[in-house]
Amino acid sequence: MRPVEARVLMANALDVRHRLPSLWRLVMAGALPVWQARRLATLTMELPAHEAGLVDLQLGRVIGGMSFTRIERLAEALVLEHLPVAVAEAHREAALDSRGV
């Protein structure tokens, strides 16, 4: 593994451990695979710690009863809700551009 990849893995682990405690508990209990927690941590990286915690609480309540695809879509929507308006608008425009709209 290259050093950059190792740093990304460590950053994801620390992010889940300290910013997403509900997801951390699910990983430690074996209820959430590590790769899924890492993906969700990546989605919340743009959020400040408080907003990431709010997303974590909302996701922690539903993870047991949904497919990961649905959880991932929910996480994306929750992140957009908690982003500043200017940043969310930039994401929306980028999504439109990627579809050729």
Side-chain angles (χ1 to χ4, degrees):
M1 178 179 292
R2 294 181 301 171
V4 171
E5 294 168 334
R7 277 189 231 123
V8 169
L9 286 174
M10 288 188 296
N12 286 152
L14 291 170
D15 201 22
V16 173
R17 173 66 180 100
H18 296 287
R19 290 173 32 107
L20 307 169
S22 297
L23 298 183
W24 178 260
R25 282 190 292 278
L26 291 168
V27 169
M28 291 293 101
L32 180 66
V34 172
W35 72 268
Q36 292 178 357
R38 287 185 59 224
R39 172 68 182 135
L40 295 171
T42 301
L43 290 173
T44 63
M45 280 180 14
E46 289 184 90
L47 296 175
H50 177 72
E51 283 79 7
L54 295 173
V55 171
D56 173 63
L57 288 173
Q58 291 171 308
L59 290 175
R61 292 183 188 140
V62 299
I63 281 191
M66 292 180 156
S67 70
F68 184 69
T69 302
R70 289 190 64 198
I71 292 167
E72 190 174 30
R73 287 184 186 144
L74 174 62
E76 290 168 351
L78 291 170
V79 167
L80 283 176
E81 283 180 17
H82 291 89
L83 283 174
V85 174
V87 177
E89 184 62 25
H91 279 270
R92 187 186 72 77
E93 287 178 16
L96 289 175
D97 288 343
S98 72
R99 288 184 249 155
V101 176

